[in-house]
């Protein structure tokens, strides 16, 4: 595993590969790698491209300074996971260097659907992701990049970026959410919870599955009523729902006439101050 921290060295490394006609796969991360990331790494391993993981906890995408300061860090274990998964290169940029001039990156306009769900509750978050991903794509020039479906709204924005700014020349691979045995979606933030809190958090996924069953079984479902019952049930367990929405998976539009095609349930919630998100296809 080659570890690179300077942008110039990373560009040189990538240019030397592309000159030889080799292609690059990029897996962008904020570290604290878990089984969900390993799934991205192993999917990337299935093709012959050179595999680069970036690790940078991007302050621009945190709307809460304490969330940023407390973001878990586990570099030694991250490196052994990358080695185990035969990743060729780890790009760990230095904050001053990667953030220099980043605010000059022009974001013409994100689609309106980026202002709902997490875009509504985490001011500036997606703009922060947008800027860092643009910068990583420019430095590394990958042919393929891997993103998890747990951050579904982020995934849709990345598809938009590639279409608008990179002429669709980067292939985006979406990887399924990996779950703990109890159903809780893997997340670096799970480390901030006790075992019993993680167990309680898993009831949100169970509730999503129950809602999905009801929606599929009864075309006359009333989502507003269903949502109220779910929120009440979960709040008794100490879970505070930030949003729970049933929307189109293509463009997050509202569902018309109890449609049952391309639907997705999206949730964000707090448990003991830890904010988590999840989603399932219906
Ligand atoms: O999903 C993440 O871990 C981050 O949002 C990303 C894509 C690495 C950008 O900082």
């Amino acid at each position: 595993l080659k570890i690179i921290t300077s942008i110039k060295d990373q560009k040189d490394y990538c240019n030397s590969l592309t000159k030889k006609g080799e292609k690059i796969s990029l897996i962008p991360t904020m570290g604290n790698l878990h089984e969900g990331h390993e799934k991205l790494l192993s999917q990337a391993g299935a093709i012959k491209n050179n595999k680069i993981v970036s690790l940078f906890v991007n302050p621009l995408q945190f709307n809460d300074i304490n969330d940023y300061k407390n973001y878990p860090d586990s570099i030694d274990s991250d490196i052994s996971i990358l080695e185990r998964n035969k990743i060729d290169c780890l790009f760990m940029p230095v904050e001053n260097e990667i953030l220099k001039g980043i605010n000059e990156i022009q974001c013409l306009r994100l689609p309106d659907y980026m202002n709902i769900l997490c875009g509504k509750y985490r001011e500036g978050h997606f703009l922060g992701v947008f800027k860092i991903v643009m910068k990583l794509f420019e430095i590394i020039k990958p042919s393929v990049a891997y993103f998890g479906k747990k951050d579904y709204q982020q995934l849709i924005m990345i598809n938009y970026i590639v279409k608008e700014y990179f002429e669709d020349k980067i292939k985006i691979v979406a990887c399924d959410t990996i779950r703990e045995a109890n159903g809780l979606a893997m997340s670096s933030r799970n480390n901030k919870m006790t075992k019993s809190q993680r167990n309680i958090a898993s009831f949100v996924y169970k509730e999503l599955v129950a809602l999905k069953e009801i929606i599929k079984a009864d075309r006359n479902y009333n989502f507003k009523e269903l949502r109220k019952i779910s929120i009440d049930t979960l709040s008794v367990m100490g879970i505070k729902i930030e949003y729970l929405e049933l929307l189109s998976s293509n463009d997050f539009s509202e569902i018309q006439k109890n449609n049952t095609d391309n639907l997705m349930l999206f949730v964000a919630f707090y448990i003991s101050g830890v904010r988590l998100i999840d989603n399932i296809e219906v």
Side-chain angles (χ1 to χ4, degrees):
L1 177 77
K2 189 172 174 58
I3 301 181
I4 298 181
T5 54
S6 109
I7 293 182
K8 179 176 179 310
D9 291 350
Q10 188 63 56
K11 280 186 175 166
D12 289 349
Y13 176 88
C14 294
N15 286 339
S16 72
L17 292 172
T18 31
K19 268 196 201 129
K20 283 191 276 176
E22 291 186 27
K23 294 198 164 161
I24 296 172
S25 293
L26 171 66
I27 307 105
T29 80
M30 298 208 296
N32 198 248
L33 306 181
H34 50 68
E35 281 174 55
H37 293 106
E38 278 206 71
K39 183 79 186 165
L40 304 183
L41 304 180
S42 74
Q43 278 193 241
I47 56 171
K48 234 181 132 268
N49 287 357
N50 234 275
K51 287 167 274 297
I52 301 180
V53 166
S54 64
L55 191 170
F56 178 62
V57 183
N58 170 27
L60 303 180
Q61 68 188 75
F62 287 83
N63 53 318
D64 173 352
I65 182 80
N66 287 323
D67 190 22
Y68 171 61
K69 283 190 183 150
N70 297 326
Y71 201 78
D73 160 18
S74 56
I75 186 66
D76 294 337
S77 117
D78 291 353
I79 288 177
S80 49
I81 290 175
L82 299 180
E83 284 173 340
R84 185 162 79 221
N85 285 276
K86 304 202 165 42
I87 296 304
D88 300 289
C89 171
L90 168 62
F91 178 44
M92 275 192 1
V94 180
E95 184 170 322
N96 289 347
E97 199 190 11
I98 191 108
L99 295 187
K100 199 167 160 229
I102 202 160
N103 284 325
E104 276 128 52
I105 293 182
Q106 292 296 313
C107 174
L108 298 178
R109 191 167 169 270
L110 288 178
D112 286 346
Y113 56 68
M114 295 311 298
N115 296 325
I116 60 167
L117 304 177
C118 289
K120 175 170 170 193
Y121 293 95
R122 299 189 71 190
E123 212 193 322
H125 167 69
F126 286 120
L127 198 55
V129 176
F130 170 87
K131 287 180 176 164
I132 198 72
V133 171
M134 288 289 285
K135 192 115 187 197
L136 290 170
F137 282 177
E138 277 162 16
I139 297 168
I140 294 174
K141 300 195 171 58
S143 325
V144 190
Y146 294 79
F147 292 87
K149 284 191 197 166
K150 184 174 75 73
D151 296 300
Y152 192 81
Q153 207 175 1
Q154 167 173 286
L155 173 68
I156 296 296
M157 179 179 77
I158 305 290
N159 283 329
Y160 171 83
I161 293 177
V162 168
K163 191 161 145 271
E164 291 292 311
Y165 297 86
F166 296 88
E167 299 169 347
D168 251 338
K169 284 194 179 130
I170 306 173
K171 180 172 158 37
I172 301 300
V173 179
C175 300
D176 287 340
T177 303
I178 305 298
R179 298 182 180 279
E180 292 184 4
N182 61 16
L184 176 64
M186 297 264 180
S187 161
S188 302
R189 292 193 167 85
N190 292 356
N191 287 344
K192 297 200 215 166
M193 292 184 286
T194 62
K195 194 161 182 264
S196 95
Q197 287 167 338
R198 287 206 298 271
N199 205 31
I200 295 172
S202 75
F203 280 92
V204 175
Y205 174 66
K206 294 178 178 101
E207 194 65 29
L208 292 183
V209 174
L211 280 171
K212 170 181 172 158
E213 296 308 321
I214 297 171
I215 291 164
K216 284 188 93 72
D218 176 10
R219 280 190 75 92
N220 293 320
Y221 64 85
N222 177 333
F223 184 66
K224 278 194 180 145
E225 261 172 35
L226 293 173
R227 171 168 51 199
K228 189 177 177 317
I229 298 167
S230 294
I231 292 176
D232 290 348
T233 312
L234 293 167
S235 84
V236 176
M237 300 180 197
I239 295 164
K240 190 172 160 284
I241 299 290
E242 184 174 71
Y243 62 72
L244 172 59
E245 300 290 347
L246 177 70
L247 299 171
S248 148
S249 56
N250 304 325
D251 59 2
F252 305 102
S253 54
E254 301 271 342
I255 306 306
Q256 304 300 328
K257 289 197 205 112
N258 287 11
N259 182 0
T260 50
D261 298 328
N262 302 321
L263 300 188
M264 232 162 149
L265 283 159
F266 298 93
V267 68
F269 60 100
Y270 282 88
I271 169 156
S272 309
V274 180
R275 183 181 185 276
L276 300 168
I277 57 172
D278 202 352
N279 61 68
I280 59 168
E281 280 171 34
V282 175

mmCIF file of all heavy atoms in Angstrom, residues 27-31 37 54 56-58 61 71 125 128-130 132-133 136 146-148 151 154 158, ligand 1:
data_model
loop_
_atom_site.group_PDB
_atom_site.id
_atom_site.type_symbol
_atom_site.label_atom_id
_atom_site.label_comp_id
_atom_site.label_asym_id
_atom_site.label_seq_id
_atom_site.Cartn_x
_atom_site.Cartn_y
_atom_site.Cartn_z
ATOM 1 N N ILE A 27 -12.154 4.995 -4.316
ATOM 2 C CA ILE A 27 -13.143 4.783 -3.250
ATOM 3 C C ILE A 27 -12.922 5.911 -2.235
ATOM 4 O O ILE A 27 -12.012 5.857 -1.409
ATOM 5 C CB ILE A 27 -12.973 3.397 -2.566
ATOM 6 C CG1 ILE A 27 -12.979 2.275 -3.604
ATOM 7 C CG2 ILE A 27 -14.085 3.159 -1.542
ATOM 8 C CD1 ILE A 27 -11.644 1.692 -3.891
ATOM 9 N N PRO A 28 -13.762 6.986 -2.308
ATOM 10 C CA PRO A 28 -13.574 8.098 -1.371
ATOM 11 C C PRO A 28 -14.148 7.738 0.004
ATOM 12 O O PRO A 28 -15.261 7.194 0.084
ATOM 13 C CB PRO A 28 -14.390 9.241 -1.987
ATOM 14 C CG PRO A 28 -14.859 8.754 -3.317
ATOM 15 C CD PRO A 28 -14.839 7.269 -3.271
ATOM 16 N N THR A 29 -13.389 8.030 1.066
ATOM 17 C CA THR A 29 -13.886 7.730 2.421
ATOM 18 C C THR A 29 -13.479 8.841 3.385
ATOM 19 O O THR A 29 -12.636 9.668 3.067
ATOM 20 C CB THR A 29 -13.302 6.404 2.989
ATOM 21 O OG1 THR A 29 -11.973 6.659 3.488
ATOM 22 C CG2 THR A 29 -13.257 5.299 1.968
ATOM 23 N N MET A 30 -14.082 8.758 4.559
ATOM 24 C CA MET A 30 -13.648 9.640 5.654
ATOM 25 C C MET A 30 -12.999 8.776 6.738
ATOM 26 O O MET A 30 -12.934 9.163 7.910
ATOM 27 C CB MET A 30 -14.825 10.434 6.205
ATOM 28 C CG MET A 30 -15.440 11.340 5.135
ATOM 29 S SD MET A 30 -16.231 12.822 5.769
ATOM 30 C CE MET A 30 -17.548 12.107 6.719
ATOM 31 N N GLY A 31 -12.548 7.587 6.357
ATOM 32 C CA GLY A 31 -11.851 6.714 7.306
ATOM 33 C C GLY A 31 -12.805 5.993 8.233
ATOM 34 O O GLY A 31 -14.001 5.907 7.972
ATOM 35 N N HIS A 37 -17.650 -0.279 4.128
ATOM 36 C CA HIS A 37 -16.561 0.160 3.239
ATOM 37 C C HIS A 37 -15.892 -1.047 2.595
ATOM 38 O O HIS A 37 -15.520 -1.010 1.429
ATOM 39 C CB HIS A 37 -15.481 0.913 4.032
ATOM 40 C CG HIS A 37 -15.918 2.220 4.598
ATOM 41 N ND1 HIS A 37 -16.179 2.401 5.934
ATOM 42 C CD2 HIS A 37 -16.128 3.427 4.007
ATOM 43 C CE1 HIS A 37 -16.521 3.659 6.143
ATOM 44 N NE2 HIS A 37 -16.505 4.301 4.991
ATOM 45 N N SER A 54 -9.286 7.317 -0.902
ATOM 46 C CA SER A 54 -8.943 8.600 -0.296
ATOM 47 C C SER A 54 -9.521 8.608 1.105
ATOM 48 O O SER A 54 -10.597 8.039 1.357
ATOM 49 C CB SER A 54 -9.493 9.765 -1.122
ATOM 50 O OG SER A 54 -10.895 9.734 -1.122
ATOM 51 N N PHE A 56 -10.190 11.410 3.999
ATOM 52 C CA PHE A 56 -10.135 12.803 4.460
ATOM 53 C C PHE A 56 -11.449 13.127 5.157
ATOM 54 O O PHE A 56 -12.516 12.989 4.562
ATOM 55 C CB PHE A 56 -9.919 13.753 3.263
ATOM 56 C CG PHE A 56 -9.894 15.203 3.667
ATOM 57 C CD1 PHE A 56 -8.913 15.682 4.535
ATOM 58 C CD2 PHE A 56 -10.850 16.093 3.197
ATOM 59 C CE1 PHE A 56 -8.883 17.013 4.935
ATOM 60 C CE2 PHE A 56 -10.834 17.435 3.584
ATOM 61 C CZ PHE A 56 -9.853 17.891 4.450
ATOM 62 N N VAL A 57 -11.336 13.520 6.420
ATOM 63 C CA VAL A 57 -12.543 13.927 7.147
ATOM 64 C C VAL A 57 -12.762 15.397 6.780
ATOM 65 O O VAL A 57 -12.039 16.277 7.237
ATOM 66 C CB VAL A 57 -12.386 13.716 8.672
ATOM 67 C CG1 VAL A 57 -13.683 14.081 9.384
ATOM 68 C CG2 VAL A 57 -12.011 12.267 8.973
ATOM 69 N N ASN A 58 -13.725 15.588 5.916
ATOM 70 C CA ASN A 58 -13.920 16.882 5.265
ATOM 71 C C ASN A 58 -14.732 17.842 6.141
ATOM 72 O O ASN A 58 -15.950 17.694 6.257
ATOM 73 C CB ASN A 58 -14.663 16.608 3.936
ATOM 74 C CG ASN A 58 -15.140 17.870 3.264
ATOM 75 O OD1 ASN A 58 -14.553 18.928 3.446
ATOM 76 N ND2 ASN A 58 -16.211 17.750 2.477
ATOM 77 N N GLN A 61 -18.257 19.489 5.159
ATOM 78 C CA GLN A 61 -19.561 18.821 5.078
ATOM 79 C C GLN A 61 -20.207 18.573 6.441
ATOM 80 O O GLN A 61 -21.224 17.895 6.533
ATOM 81 C CB GLN A 61 -19.458 17.537 4.257
ATOM 82 C CG GLN A 61 -18.661 16.413 4.875
ATOM 83 C CD GLN A 61 -18.470 15.266 3.891
ATOM 84 O OE1 GLN A 61 -17.672 15.348 2.972
ATOM 85 N NE2 GLN A 61 -19.223 14.183 4.068
ATOM 86 N N TYR A 71 -15.587 13.016 15.218
ATOM 87 C CA TYR A 71 -15.674 11.980 14.183
ATOM 88 C C TYR A 71 -14.621 10.908 14.456
ATOM 89 O O TYR A 71 -13.446 11.223 14.653
ATOM 90 C CB TYR A 71 -15.488 12.577 12.779
ATOM 91 C CG TYR A 71 -16.059 11.674 11.727
ATOM 92 C CD1 TYR A 71 -17.421 11.634 11.495
ATOM 93 C CD2 TYR A 71 -15.243 10.800 11.013
ATOM 94 C CE1 TYR A 71 -17.960 10.775 10.564
ATOM 95 C CE2 TYR A 71 -15.775 9.938 10.077
ATOM 96 C CZ TYR A 71 -17.134 9.938 9.863
ATOM 97 O OH TYR A 71 -17.671 9.067 8.944
ATOM 98 N N HIS A 125 -24.204 20.933 3.962
ATOM 99 C CA HIS A 125 -23.579 19.607 3.907
ATOM 100 C C HIS A 125 -23.260 19.164 2.477
ATOM 101 O O HIS A 125 -22.121 18.824 2.160
ATOM 102 C CB HIS A 125 -24.506 18.587 4.591
ATOM 103 C CG HIS A 125 -24.141 17.161 4.341
ATOM 104 N ND1 HIS A 125 -23.003 16.596 4.874
ATOM 105 C CD2 HIS A 125 -24.727 16.188 3.592
ATOM 106 C CE1 HIS A 125 -22.915 15.340 4.467
ATOM 107 N NE2 HIS A 125 -23.944 15.064 3.693
ATOM 108 N N GLY A 128 -20.560 21.015 0.713
ATOM 109 C CA GLY A 128 -19.252 20.564 1.210
ATOM 110 C C GLY A 128 -18.826 19.264 0.562
ATOM 111 O O GLY A 128 -17.663 19.093 0.179
ATOM 112 N N VAL A 129 -19.768 18.317 0.401
ATOM 113 C CA VAL A 129 -19.452 17.043 -0.264
ATOM 114 C C VAL A 129 -19.117 17.326 -1.735
ATOM 115 O O VAL A 129 -18.144 16.807 -2.281
ATOM 116 C CB VAL A 129 -20.634 16.038 -0.171
ATOM 117 C CG1 VAL A 129 -20.313 14.764 -0.942
ATOM 118 C CG2 VAL A 129 -20.978 15.715 1.275
ATOM 119 N N PHE A 130 -19.953 18.167 -2.346
ATOM 120 C CA PHE A 130 -19.751 18.530 -3.761
ATOM 121 C C PHE A 130 -18.318 19.010 -3.990
ATOM 122 O O PHE A 130 -17.612 18.525 -4.872
ATOM 123 C CB PHE A 130 -20.760 19.629 -4.139
ATOM 124 C CG PHE A 130 -20.516 20.250 -5.480
ATOM 125 C CD1 PHE A 130 -21.058 19.690 -6.621
ATOM 126 C CD2 PHE A 130 -19.744 21.398 -5.602
ATOM 127 C CE1 PHE A 130 -20.828 20.268 -7.867
ATOM 128 C CE2 PHE A 130 -19.507 21.976 -6.843
ATOM 129 C CZ PHE A 130 -20.051 21.398 -7.984
ATOM 130 N N ILE A 132 -15.508 18.733 -2.185
ATOM 131 C CA ILE A 132 -14.394 17.808 -1.962
ATOM 132 C C ILE A 132 -14.381 16.716 -3.039
ATOM 133 O O ILE A 132 -13.314 16.318 -3.518
ATOM 134 C CB ILE A 132 -14.412 17.228 -0.523
ATOM 135 C CG1 ILE A 132 -13.038 16.645 -0.156
ATOM 136 C CG2 ILE A 132 -15.441 16.153 -0.325
ATOM 137 C CD1 ILE A 132 -11.984 17.672 0.080
ATOM 138 N N VAL A 133 -15.550 16.269 -3.453
ATOM 139 C CA VAL A 133 -15.591 15.217 -4.475
ATOM 140 C C VAL A 133 -15.093 15.768 -5.817
ATOM 141 O O VAL A 133 -14.343 15.106 -6.534
ATOM 142 C CB VAL A 133 -17.005 14.598 -4.574
ATOM 143 C CG1 VAL A 133 -17.121 13.672 -5.772
ATOM 144 C CG2 VAL A 133 -17.336 13.819 -3.301
ATOM 145 N N LEU A 136 -11.349 15.790 -5.492
ATOM 146 C CA LEU A 136 -10.776 14.428 -5.559
ATOM 147 C C LEU A 136 -10.820 13.896 -6.993
ATOM 148 O O LEU A 136 -9.856 13.294 -7.475
ATOM 149 C CB LEU A 136 -11.540 13.479 -4.622
ATOM 150 C CG LEU A 136 -11.345 13.722 -3.126
ATOM 151 C CD1 LEU A 136 -12.343 12.885 -2.320
ATOM 152 C CD2 LEU A 136 -9.916 13.405 -2.686
ATOM 153 N N TYR A 146 -16.675 4.516 -6.371
ATOM 154 C CA TYR A 146 -17.624 3.695 -5.604
ATOM 155 C C TYR A 146 -18.255 4.495 -4.473
ATOM 156 O O TYR A 146 -17.544 5.147 -3.704
ATOM 157 C CB TYR A 146 -16.886 2.478 -5.018
ATOM 158 C CG TYR A 146 -16.413 1.540 -6.099
ATOM 159 C CD1 TYR A 146 -15.260 1.834 -6.832
ATOM 160 C CD2 TYR A 146 -17.130 0.397 -6.424
ATOM 161 C CE1 TYR A 146 -14.842 1.000 -7.851
ATOM 162 C CE2 TYR A 146 -16.708 -0.448 -7.450
ATOM 163 C CZ TYR A 146 -15.569 -0.136 -8.155
ATOM 164 O OH TYR A 146 -15.157 -0.952 -9.176
ATOM 165 N N PHE A 147 -19.570 4.394 -4.358
ATOM 166 C CA PHE A 147 -20.293 5.087 -3.290
ATOM 167 C C PHE A 147 -21.375 4.157 -2.737
ATOM 168 O O PHE A 147 -21.944 3.352 -3.478
ATOM 169 C CB PHE A 147 -20.949 6.363 -3.817
ATOM 170 C CG PHE A 147 -19.951 7.420 -4.209
ATOM 171 C CD1 PHE A 147 -19.401 7.435 -5.481
ATOM 172 C CD2 PHE A 147 -19.532 8.385 -3.295
ATOM 173 C CE1 PHE A 147 -18.455 8.398 -5.845
ATOM 174 C CE2 PHE A 147 -18.594 9.348 -3.649
ATOM 175 C CZ PHE A 147 -18.053 9.352 -4.926
ATOM 176 N N GLY A 148 -21.663 4.322 -1.440
ATOM 177 C CA GLY A 148 -22.658 3.459 -0.804
ATOM 178 C C GLY A 148 -24.068 3.996 -0.960
ATOM 179 O O GLY A 148 -24.283 5.212 -1.007
ATOM 180 N N ASP A 151 -25.958 6.444 1.819
ATOM 181 C CA ASP A 151 -26.003 7.890 1.581
ATOM 182 C C ASP A 151 -26.623 8.102 0.205
ATOM 183 O O ASP A 151 -25.955 8.532 -0.740
ATOM 184 C CB ASP A 151 -24.588 8.471 1.643
ATOM 185 C CG ASP A 151 -23.986 8.313 3.022
ATOM 186 O OD1 ASP A 151 -24.571 8.848 3.974
ATOM 187 O OD2 ASP A 151 -22.966 7.624 3.150
ATOM 188 N N GLN A 154 -26.608 11.578 -1.436
ATOM 189 C CA GLN A 154 -25.236 11.876 -1.884
ATOM 190 C C GLN A 154 -24.950 11.162 -3.206
ATOM 191 O O GLN A 154 -24.396 11.744 -4.135
ATOM 192 C CB GLN A 154 -24.247 11.412 -0.803
ATOM 193 C CG GLN A 154 -22.806 11.373 -1.260
ATOM 194 C CD GLN A 154 -21.824 11.079 -0.132
ATOM 195 O OE1 GLN A 154 -21.563 11.931 0.704
ATOM 196 N NE2 GLN A 154 -21.279 9.885 -0.097
ATOM 197 N N ILE A 158 -23.796 12.711 -6.731
ATOM 198 C CA ILE A 158 -22.551 12.344 -7.423
ATOM 199 C C ILE A 158 -22.871 12.005 -8.892
ATOM 200 O O ILE A 158 -22.151 12.417 -9.794
ATOM 201 C CB ILE A 158 -21.859 11.131 -6.724
ATOM 202 C CG1 ILE A 158 -21.607 11.399 -5.242
ATOM 203 C CG2 ILE A 158 -20.589 10.709 -7.479
ATOM 204 C CD1 ILE A 158 -20.557 12.404 -4.898
HETATM 205 O O1 LIG B 1 -19.558 9.363 2.106
HETATM 206 C C1 LIG B 1 -18.514 9.844 2.588
HETATM 207 O O2 LIG B 1 -17.784 9.198 3.351
HETATM 208 C C2 LIG B 1 -18.152 11.293 2.267
HETATM 209 O O3 LIG B 1 -19.282 12.071 2.131
HETATM 210 C C3 LIG B 1 -17.240 11.408 1.034
HETATM 211 C C4 LIG B 1 -17.935 10.922 -0.219
HETATM 212 C C5 LIG B 1 -15.965 10.633 1.279
HETATM 213 C C6 LIG B 1 -16.873 12.876 0.811
HETATM 214 O O4 LIG B 1 -16.183 13.408 1.895
#
